PDB file of all heavy atoms in Angstrom:
ATOM      1  N   ASP A  52       8.500  -3.844   9.267  1.00  0.00           N
ATOM      2  CA  ASP A  52       7.644  -4.791   9.970  1.00  0.00           C
ATOM      3  C   ASP A  52       8.437  -5.364  11.135  1.00  0.00           C
ATOM      4  O   ASP A  52       9.384  -6.117  10.939  1.00  0.00           O
ATOM      5  CB  ASP A  52       7.216  -5.890   9.000  1.00  0.00           C
ATOM      6  CG  ASP A  52       6.325  -6.937   9.624  1.00  0.00           C
ATOM      7  OD1 ASP A  52       6.194  -6.982  10.861  1.00  0.00           O
ATOM      8  OD2 ASP A  52       5.768  -7.752   8.870  1.00  0.00           O
ATOM      9  N   ASP A  53       8.077  -4.984  12.360  1.00  0.00           N
ATOM     10  CA  ASP A  53       8.778  -5.462  13.557  1.00  0.00           C
ATOM     11  C   ASP A  53       8.715  -6.971  13.684  1.00  0.00           C
ATOM     12  O   ASP A  53       9.686  -7.610  14.067  1.00  0.00           O
ATOM     13  CB  ASP A  53       8.150  -4.878  14.831  1.00  0.00           C
ATOM     14  CG  ASP A  53       8.591  -3.460  15.100  1.00  0.00           C
ATOM     15  OD1 ASP A  53       9.544  -2.990  14.449  1.00  0.00           O
ATOM     16  OD2 ASP A  53       7.971  -2.825  15.959  1.00  0.00           O
ATOM     17  N   LEU A  54       7.580  -7.563  13.375  1.00  0.00           N
ATOM     18  CA  LEU A  54       7.377  -9.000  13.572  1.00  0.00           C
ATOM     19  C   LEU A  54       8.230  -9.829  12.616  1.00  0.00           C
ATOM     20  O   LEU A  54       8.899 -10.774  13.018  1.00  0.00           O
ATOM     21  CB  LEU A  54       5.902  -9.348  13.414  1.00  0.00           C
ATOM     22  CG  LEU A  54       5.506 -10.786  13.685  1.00  0.00           C
ATOM     23  CD1 LEU A  54       5.787 -11.150  15.130  1.00  0.00           C
ATOM     24  CD2 LEU A  54       4.015 -10.986  13.384  1.00  0.00           C
ATOM     25  N   LYS A  55       8.212  -9.457  11.346  1.00  0.00           N
ATOM     26  CA  LYS A  55       8.950 -10.228  10.333  1.00  0.00           C
ATOM     27  C   LYS A  55      10.269  -9.616   9.948  1.00  0.00           C
ATOM     28  O   LYS A  55      10.982 -10.152   9.108  1.00  0.00           O
ATOM     29  CB  LYS A  55       8.054 -10.422   9.108  1.00  0.00           C
ATOM     30  CG  LYS A  55       6.821 -11.265   9.458  1.00  0.00           C
ATOM     31  CD  LYS A  55       5.900 -11.475   8.299  1.00  0.00           C
ATOM     32  CE  LYS A  55       4.710 -12.302   8.761  1.00  0.00           C
ATOM     33  NZ  LYS A  55       3.661 -12.335   7.788  1.00  0.00           N
ATOM     34  N   GLU A  56      10.594  -8.471  10.555  1.00  0.00           N
ATOM     35  CA  GLU A  56      11.836  -7.751  10.307  1.00  0.00           C
ATOM     36  C   GLU A  56      12.027  -7.447   8.823  1.00  0.00           C
ATOM     37  O   GLU A  56      13.094  -7.616   8.262  1.00  0.00           O
ATOM     38  CB  GLU A  56      13.020  -8.520  10.864  1.00  0.00           C
ATOM     39  CG  GLU A  56      12.978  -8.708  12.376  1.00  0.00           C
ATOM     40  CD  GLU A  56      14.115  -9.543  12.915  1.00  0.00           C
ATOM     41  OE1 GLU A  56      15.159  -9.652  12.255  1.00  0.00           O
ATOM     42  OE2 GLU A  56      13.953 -10.094  14.009  1.00  0.00           O
ATOM     43  N   TRP A  59      10.450  -2.269   3.295  1.00  0.00           N
ATOM     44  CA  TRP A  59       9.896  -1.914   2.002  1.00  0.00           C
ATOM     45  C   TRP A  59      10.062  -0.430   1.844  1.00  0.00           C
ATOM     46  O   TRP A  59       9.955   0.314   2.814  1.00  0.00           O
ATOM     47  CB  TRP A  59       8.425  -2.318   1.894  1.00  0.00           C
ATOM     48  CG  TRP A  59       8.258  -3.775   1.967  1.00  0.00           C
ATOM     49  CD1 TRP A  59       8.308  -4.667   0.921  1.00  0.00           C
ATOM     50  CD2 TRP A  59       8.077  -4.588   3.130  1.00  0.00           C
ATOM     51  NE1 TRP A  59       8.169  -5.964   1.364  1.00  0.00           N
ATOM     52  CE2 TRP A  59       8.012  -5.936   2.733  1.00  0.00           C
ATOM     53  CE3 TRP A  59       7.958  -4.310   4.487  1.00  0.00           C
ATOM     54  CZ2 TRP A  59       7.837  -6.973   3.623  1.00  0.00           C
ATOM     55  CZ3 TRP A  59       7.789  -5.341   5.375  1.00  0.00           C
ATOM     56  CH2 TRP A  59       7.720  -6.658   4.932  1.00  0.00           C
ATOM     57  N   ILE A  79       1.534  -4.154   0.338  1.00  0.00           N
ATOM     58  CA  ILE A  79       2.628  -4.709   1.159  1.00  0.00           C
ATOM     59  C   ILE A  79       2.028  -5.521   2.311  1.00  0.00           C
ATOM     60  O   ILE A  79       2.486  -6.627   2.599  1.00  0.00           O
ATOM     61  CB  ILE A  79       3.547  -3.598   1.689  1.00  0.00           C
ATOM     62  CG1 ILE A  79       4.345  -2.960   0.549  1.00  0.00           C
ATOM     63  CG2 ILE A  79       4.472  -4.115   2.778  1.00  0.00           C
ATOM     64  CD1 ILE A  79       5.291  -3.874  -0.171  1.00  0.00           C
ATOM     65  N   LEU A  80       1.039  -4.965   2.979  1.00  0.00           N
ATOM     66  CA  LEU A  80       0.396  -5.690   4.092  1.00  0.00           C
ATOM     67  C   LEU A  80      -0.234  -6.987   3.594  1.00  0.00           C
ATOM     68  O   LEU A  80      -0.088  -8.029   4.244  1.00  0.00           O
ATOM     69  CB  LEU A  80      -0.646  -4.802   4.778  1.00  0.00           C
ATOM     70  CG  LEU A  80      -0.060  -3.660   5.613  1.00  0.00           C
ATOM     71  CD1 LEU A  80      -1.160  -2.660   5.974  1.00  0.00           C
ATOM     72  CD2 LEU A  80       0.620  -4.193   6.856  1.00  0.00           C
ATOM     73  N   GLU A  81      -0.895  -6.932   2.473  1.00  0.00           N
ATOM     74  CA  GLU A  81      -1.516  -8.127   1.892  1.00  0.00           C
ATOM     75  C   GLU A  81      -0.454  -9.182   1.542  1.00  0.00           C
ATOM     76  O   GLU A  81      -0.585 -10.347   1.908  1.00  0.00           O
ATOM     77  CB  GLU A  81      -2.315  -7.739   0.653  1.00  0.00           C
ATOM     78  CG  GLU A  81      -3.028  -8.864  -0.019  1.00  0.00           C
ATOM     79  CD  GLU A  81      -4.272  -9.315   0.722  1.00  0.00           C
ATOM     80  OE1 GLU A  81      -4.904  -8.494   1.405  1.00  0.00           O
ATOM     81  OE2 GLU A  81      -4.607 -10.506   0.614  1.00  0.00           O
ATOM     82  N   ASP A  82       0.592  -8.744   0.826  1.00  0.00           N
ATOM     83  CA  ASP A  82       1.662  -9.671   0.398  1.00  0.00           C
ATOM     84  C   ASP A  82       2.431 -10.257   1.571  1.00  0.00           C
ATOM     85  O   ASP A  82       3.003 -11.328   1.467  1.00  0.00           O
ATOM     86  CB  ASP A  82       2.640  -8.960  -0.543  1.00  0.00           C
ATOM     87  CG  ASP A  82       1.999  -8.588  -1.863  1.00  0.00           C
ATOM     88  OD1 ASP A  82       0.899  -9.080  -2.171  1.00  0.00           O
ATOM     89  OD2 ASP A  82       2.611  -7.769  -2.589  1.00  0.00           O
ATOM     90  N   SER A  83       2.449  -9.555   2.694  1.00  0.00           N
ATOM     91  CA  SER A  83       3.169 -10.022   3.866  1.00  0.00           C
ATOM     92  C   SER A  83       2.352 -10.948   4.749  1.00  0.00           C
ATOM     93  O   SER A  83       2.799 -11.378   5.807  1.00  0.00           O
ATOM     94  CB  SER A  83       3.637  -8.821   4.699  1.00  0.00           C
ATOM     95  OG  SER A  83       4.527  -8.033   3.955  1.00  0.00           O
ATOM     96  N   GLY A  84       1.127 -11.230   4.336  1.00  0.00           N
ATOM     97  CA  GLY A  84       0.306 -12.165   5.081  1.00  0.00           C
ATOM     98  C   GLY A  84      -0.638 -11.529   6.084  1.00  0.00           C
ATOM     99  O   GLY A  84      -1.218 -12.207   6.927  1.00  0.00           O
ATOM    100  N   TYR A  85      -0.816 -10.212   6.005  1.00  0.00           N
ATOM    101  CA  TYR A  85      -1.681  -9.511   6.952  1.00  0.00           C
ATOM    102  C   TYR A  85      -3.039  -9.150   6.359  1.00  0.00           C
ATOM    103  O   TYR A  85      -3.808  -8.448   7.004  1.00  0.00           O
ATOM    104  CB  TYR A  85      -1.001  -8.240   7.445  1.00  0.00           C
ATOM    105  CG  TYR A  85       0.292  -8.477   8.198  1.00  0.00           C
ATOM    106  CD1 TYR A  85       1.500  -8.030   7.694  1.00  0.00           C
ATOM    107  CD2 TYR A  85       0.293  -9.165   9.401  1.00  0.00           C
ATOM    108  CE1 TYR A  85       2.684  -8.240   8.373  1.00  0.00           C
ATOM    109  CE2 TYR A  85       1.476  -9.402  10.086  1.00  0.00           C
ATOM    110  CZ  TYR A  85       2.661  -8.917   9.566  1.00  0.00           C
ATOM    111  OH  TYR A  85       3.838  -9.144  10.248  1.00  0.00           O
ATOM    112  N   GLY A  86      -3.343  -9.641   5.185  1.00  0.00           N
ATOM    113  CA  GLY A  86      -4.636  -9.329   4.540  1.00  0.00           C
ATOM    114  C   GLY A  86      -5.773  -9.829   5.414  1.00  0.00           C
ATOM    115  O   GLY A  86      -5.818 -11.003   5.787  1.00  0.00           O
ATOM    116  N   GLY A  87      -6.700  -8.968   5.780  1.00  0.00           N
ATOM    117  CA  GLY A  87      -7.836  -9.363   6.605  1.00  0.00           C
ATOM    118  C   GLY A  87      -7.510  -9.447   8.085  1.00  0.00           C
ATOM    119  O   GLY A  87      -8.412  -9.564   8.904  1.00  0.00           O
ATOM    120  N   SER A  88      -6.231  -9.416   8.449  1.00  0.00           N
ATOM    121  CA  SER A  88      -5.824  -9.467   9.847  1.00  0.00           C
ATOM    122  C   SER A  88      -5.774  -8.072  10.450  1.00  0.00           C
ATOM    123  O   SER A  88      -5.619  -7.084   9.741  1.00  0.00           O
ATOM    124  CB  SER A  88      -4.436 -10.080  10.002  1.00  0.00           C
ATOM    125  OG  SER A  88      -4.388 -11.371   9.454  1.00  0.00           O
ATOM    126  N   ASP A  89      -5.891  -8.010  11.753  1.00  0.00           N
ATOM    127  CA  ASP A  89      -5.726  -6.739  12.427  1.00  0.00           C
ATOM    128  C   ASP A  89      -4.235  -6.417  12.520  1.00  0.00           C
ATOM    129  O   ASP A  89      -3.420  -7.304  12.824  1.00  0.00           O
ATOM    130  CB  ASP A  89      -6.320  -6.790  13.840  1.00  0.00           C
ATOM    131  CG  ASP A  89      -7.843  -6.904  13.801  1.00  0.00           C
ATOM    132  OD1 ASP A  89      -8.430  -6.687  12.728  1.00  0.00           O
ATOM    133  OD2 ASP A  89      -8.421  -7.210  14.850  1.00  0.00           O
ATOM    134  N   VAL A  90      -3.872  -5.173  12.236  1.00  0.00           N
ATOM    135  CA  VAL A  90      -2.479  -4.741  12.349  1.00  0.00           C
ATOM    136  C   VAL A  90      -2.429  -3.437  13.146  1.00  0.00           C
ATOM    137  O   VAL A  90      -3.422  -2.733  13.273  1.00  0.00           O
ATOM    138  CB  VAL A  90      -1.822  -4.513  10.963  1.00  0.00           C
ATOM    139  CG1 VAL A  90      -1.721  -5.811  10.179  1.00  0.00           C
ATOM    140  CG2 VAL A  90      -2.518  -3.434  10.169  1.00  0.00           C
ATOM    141  N   ARG A 111      -8.236  -1.049   3.867  1.00  0.00           N
ATOM    142  CA  ARG A 111      -7.959  -2.447   4.237  1.00  0.00           C
ATOM    143  C   ARG A 111      -9.225  -3.140   4.699  1.00  0.00           C
ATOM    144  O   ARG A 111     -10.137  -2.492   5.199  1.00  0.00           O
ATOM    145  CB  ARG A 111      -6.955  -2.500   5.415  1.00  0.00           C
ATOM    146  CG  ARG A 111      -5.566  -2.083   5.051  1.00  0.00           C
ATOM    147  CD  ARG A 111      -4.563  -2.434   6.153  1.00  0.00           C
ATOM    148  NE  ARG A 111      -4.437  -3.877   6.243  1.00  0.00           N
ATOM    149  CZ  ARG A 111      -4.737  -4.576   7.335  1.00  0.00           C
ATOM    150  NH1 ARG A 111      -5.177  -3.996   8.415  1.00  0.00           N
ATOM    151  NH2 ARG A 111      -4.611  -5.885   7.337  1.00  0.00           N
ATOM    152  N   THR A 112      -9.248  -4.466   4.575  1.00  0.00           N
ATOM    153  CA  THR A 112     -10.386  -5.231   5.082  1.00  0.00           C
ATOM    154  C   THR A 112     -10.207  -5.570   6.554  1.00  0.00           C
ATOM    155  O   THR A 112     -11.169  -5.691   7.275  1.00  0.00           O
ATOM    156  CB  THR A 112     -10.563  -6.536   4.279  1.00  0.00           C
ATOM    157  OG1 THR A 112      -9.344  -7.269   4.284  1.00  0.00           O
ATOM    158  CG2 THR A 112     -10.977  -6.239   2.863  1.00  0.00           C
ATOM    159  N   GLY A 113      -8.955  -5.713   7.017  1.00  0.00           N
ATOM    160  CA  GLY A 113      -8.690  -5.980   8.428  1.00  0.00           C
ATOM    161  C   GLY A 113      -8.621  -4.692   9.221  1.00  0.00           C
ATOM    162  O   GLY A 113      -8.564  -3.605   8.667  1.00  0.00           O
ATOM    163  N   GLY A 114      -8.639  -4.830  10.531  1.00  0.00           N
ATOM    164  CA  GLY A 114      -8.553  -3.662  11.392  1.00  0.00           C
ATOM    165  C   GLY A 114      -7.150  -3.052  11.360  1.00  0.00           C
ATOM    166  O   GLY A 114      -6.158  -3.756  11.232  1.00  0.00           O
ATOM    167  N   ILE A 191       7.792 -14.726   5.782  1.00  0.00           N
ATOM    168  CA  ILE A 191       6.572 -14.426   5.042  1.00  0.00           C
ATOM    169  C   ILE A 191       6.090 -15.643   4.258  1.00  0.00           C
ATOM    170  O   ILE A 191       4.919 -16.004   4.322  1.00  0.00           O
ATOM    171  CB  ILE A 191       6.784 -13.224   4.093  1.00  0.00           C
ATOM    172  CG1 ILE A 191       6.944 -11.948   4.907  1.00  0.00           C
ATOM    173  CG2 ILE A 191       5.629 -13.091   3.094  1.00  0.00           C
ATOM    174  CD1 ILE A 191       7.388 -10.745   4.097  1.00  0.00           C
TER     175      ILE A 191
END
Side-chain angles (χ1 to χ4, degrees):
D52 179 348
D53 281 348
L54 184 63
K55 296 179 180 169
E56 298 176 23
W59 296 272
I79 291 297
L80 289 167
E81 181 75 29
D82 293 347
S83 298
Y85 298 115
S88 302
D89 292 346
V90 296
R111 290 192 67 242
T112 54
I191 290 171

